[in-house]
């Protein structure tokens, strides 16, 4: 893409042209995903990072014309988001390790409870990963990024009702995936009592 064509896209995106944004996304997404994958070594995480970068670009579309070198900006944003992702994962692992040690010291039953909790979280993560892309993006924007339904609707240019419907679908699918764990818990607790 020529610099002139890129500047024209930036101007169109700045005024809310979704087709121009889609053209920008289609042009860069695969390349940026490969770039993020080279850092993360995880295809799903790389795709998620690139999606987040483009969501931020769209959310701040009014200022896109202020970016002088958009290609450099997109790659830098992808790199930074990937490194932040790795940093968060490392911190989660450290925190999980300390939490596990503290739990072990407090209660004899904690290893069983820790195992059950770990299985539930794995099931929830797997269920979220299996959501359709649009549903997954909406779920993550609402649940993980803490955005309001209206904010998600504005970012994705969809109605609040669509956000609500996608959240209902996501919660239902996740609930179905982890339902067995919660059916098991009361029997487990009863046996221990």
């Amino acid at each position: 893409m020529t610099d002139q064509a890129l500047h024209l896209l930036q101007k169109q995106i700045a005024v809310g042209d979704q087709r121009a944004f889609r053209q920008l996304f289609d042009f860069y997404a695969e390349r940026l995903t490969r770039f993020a994958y080279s850092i993360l070594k995880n295809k799903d995480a790389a795709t998620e990072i690139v999606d987040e970068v483009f969501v931020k670009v769209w959310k701040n579309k009014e200022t896109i014309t202020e970016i002088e070198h958009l290609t450099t900006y997109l790659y830098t944003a992808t790199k930074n988001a990937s490194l932040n992702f790795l940093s968060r994962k490392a911190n989660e692992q450290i925190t999980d390790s300390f939490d596990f040690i503290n739990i072990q010291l407090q209660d004899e039953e904690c290893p069983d409870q820790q195992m059950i909790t770990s299985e539930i979280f794995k099931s929830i993560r797997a269920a979220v990963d299996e959501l359709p892309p649009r549903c997954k993006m909406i779920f993550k924007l609402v649940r993980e990024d803490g955005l309001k339904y209206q904010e998600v609707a504005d970012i994705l240019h969809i109605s609040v009702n669509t956000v609500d419907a996608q959240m209902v679908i996501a919660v239902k699918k996740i609930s179905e995936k982890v339902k067995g764990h919660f059916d098991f818990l009361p029997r487990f607790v009863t046996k221990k009592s």
Side-chain angles (χ1 to χ4, degrees):
M1 183 176 296
T2 67
D3 286 344
Q4 186 177 10
L6 194 54
H7 288 296
L8 178 61
L9 277 181
Q10 285 177 267
K11 288 178 183 178
Q12 292 169 330
I13 291 167
V15 294
D17 186 333
Q18 292 179 18
R19 285 182 288 195
F21 180 76
R22 179 46 125 174
Q23 191 176 355
L24 181 74
F25 178 85
D26 289 344
F27 184 76
Y28 283 102
E30 188 176 313
R31 297 179 215 195
L32 293 173
T33 302
R34 284 193 305 264
F35 178 64
Y37 179 79
S38 71
I39 297 168
L40 301 169
K41 305 298 184 216
N42 180 318
K43 179 130 175 83
D44 291 336
T47 301
E48 188 176 320
I49 291 294
V50 172
D51 288 345
E52 288 174 6
V53 167
F54 277 101
V55 166
K56 287 178 184 175
V57 167
W58 182 255
K59 187 176 180 181
N60 298 307
K61 63 185 174 287
E62 296 83 7
T63 61
I64 194 169
T65 55
E66 296 171 13
I67 300 170
E68 194 171 324
H69 303 285
L70 187 59
T71 302
T72 303
Y73 172 84
L74 290 171
Y75 275 89
T76 302
T78 301
K79 178 194 72 171
N80 291 340
S82 297
L83 295 175
N84 287 340
F85 177 87
L86 290 175
S87 178
R88 280 192 313 268
K89 288 296 175 192
N91 286 337
E92 286 173 13
Q93 288 174 351
I94 291 169
T95 302
D96 289 346
S97 298
F98 288 129
D99 287 346
F100 182 74
I101 290 169
N102 290 337
I103 290 171
Q104 285 281 85
L105 295 173
Q106 293 176 0
D107 192 314
E108 293 175 18
E109 296 177 358
C110 286
D112 292 337
Q113 292 173 352
Q114 183 68 22
M115 182 183 74
I116 291 168
T117 302
S118 176
E119 288 176 18
I120 291 170
F121 281 122
K122 285 179 187 175
S123 294
I124 290 171
R125 284 187 194 127
V128 170
D129 288 341
E130 291 174 8
L131 292 173
R134 180 177 178 181
C135 187
K136 181 178 177 181
M137 178 184 287
I138 291 169
F139 181 81
K140 287 181 176 263
L141 287 171
V142 171
R143 293 293 183 188
E144 291 179 10
D145 294 347
L147 297 178
K148 297 175 184 169
Y149 282 20
Q150 184 63 55
E151 292 172 321
V152 174
D154 291 343
I155 290 167
L156 301 177
H157 286 289
I158 55 178
S159 72
V160 173
N161 290 337
T162 301
V163 173
D164 185 45
Q166 291 295 309
M167 286 298 294
V168 168
I169 291 167
V171 170
K172 182 178 178 186
K173 287 184 179 204
I174 293 167
S175 297
E176 289 169 359
K177 189 83 169 177
V178 299
K179 182 180 176 185
H181 292 290
F182 293 108
D183 289 343
F184 172 73
L185 286 175
R187 290 189 304 250
F188 178 77
V189 171
T190 306
K191 286 181 181 178
K192 289 284 187 181
S193 300

